[in-house]
Every structure is written in structure tokens, then in C-alpha cells.
Amino acid sequence: FVARVREAWPWDAHHAYICFLANPQNGDVSAMLGDSPMESPFAQALCSAKYFLVIPNRRQSLYSRLWCVFEAYLALKRGLVIRMPCRPHRSNVLLALTPRCLLFFMGFVLLWWLGD
């Protein structure tokens, strides 16, 4: 989790409200939500945020949880910059590197050939 947060962390961000650490995950949250989810601590934290980090896990889709969908909706509605760490797929890295490696190799051969 920490590595993924660091990967997506904006360089000018100084604070974090981490929902799963701040809000009870398995209990009754109705008292915390009050009459409206828009009055929840998370919604209030988003009012002063510039960024919204989405840190997915491998066990469960974020979008299968209604609260996560609501958080993303609020971030979009407020115009926040939404960041999600992602690792490039191996095939995409190979596609990007192959032409560069080929050019490097051809340049090396050309220099060797001209040097003789």
C-alpha cells in the first residue's frame, strides 16, 4: 500500500486523509454520516483537497463498493486531480524500448564500421 501511495503521490501534496484508516470499515457508520453522506468527514476533507489518490488492491474491485464509487463521484464533481498508480504492462515496455535499443545498436555498429 505504501509503495503504491508513494508512486502516485503528487510532489506538492503535504497531507493525506486515508479513508480506510479514518472511517470504520465494518461497523455502523450511520452516526458518522449523519443525515447526508455529503456531510461525512470524507466529503468535508474533499472540500479542501487538490488531489484524489485511488489505490486499488488485487482482492476486490474498488467499484464493487458503493462508498468508493461515491468518493470518486465527489472527487470528479469537485474537479480534483485524480491519480492512480499503475505499472506498465511488460509488452508495452518492450514495444517502447525495442526501437530505441535497435537504434542504439545500429549507431554502435555504424561507429565501429566508420572507425575502421
Side-chain angles (χ1 to χ4, degrees):
F1 172 77
V2 173
R4 308 286 313 270
V5 169
R6 285 183 178 165
E7 187 179 331
W9 192 262
W11 66 270
D12 62 339
H14 302 288
H15 308 286
Y17 178 93
I18 302 173
C19 183
F20 81 88
L21 296 176
N23 300 337
Q25 298 297 303
N26 296 320
D28 181 16
V29 295
S30 59
M32 186 179 70
L33 292 177
D35 293 332
S36 169
M38 299 301 276
E39 302 299 321
S40 69
F42 184 82
Q44 292 175 9
L46 275 178
C47 287
S48 62
K50 292 194 313 187
Y51 302 101
F52 180 78
L53 301 184
V54 178
I55 310 297
N57 66 53
R58 294 181 181 169
R59 293 187 183 146
Q60 185 176 15
S61 169
L62 291 167
Y63 308 108
S64 67
R65 300 186 63 184
L66 186 56
W67 188 256
C68 295
V69 173
F70 176 67
E71 292 169 347
Y73 164 77
L74 286 180
L76 283 170
K77 185 177 176 183
R78 297 189 194 286
L80 301 181
V81 175
I82 299 174
R83 299 186 60 155
M84 179 185 289
C86 63
R87 295 189 178 134
H89 193 270
R90 216 174 263 162
S91 64
N92 291 342
V93 172
L94 289 175
L95 284 174
L97 290 179
T98 300
R100 289 163 182 81
C101 291
L102 185 59
L103 285 173
F104 175 77
F105 179 72
M106 288 172 52
F108 181 75
V109 169
L110 183 62
L111 286 174
W112 174 76
W113 182 69
L114 291 175
D116 281 345

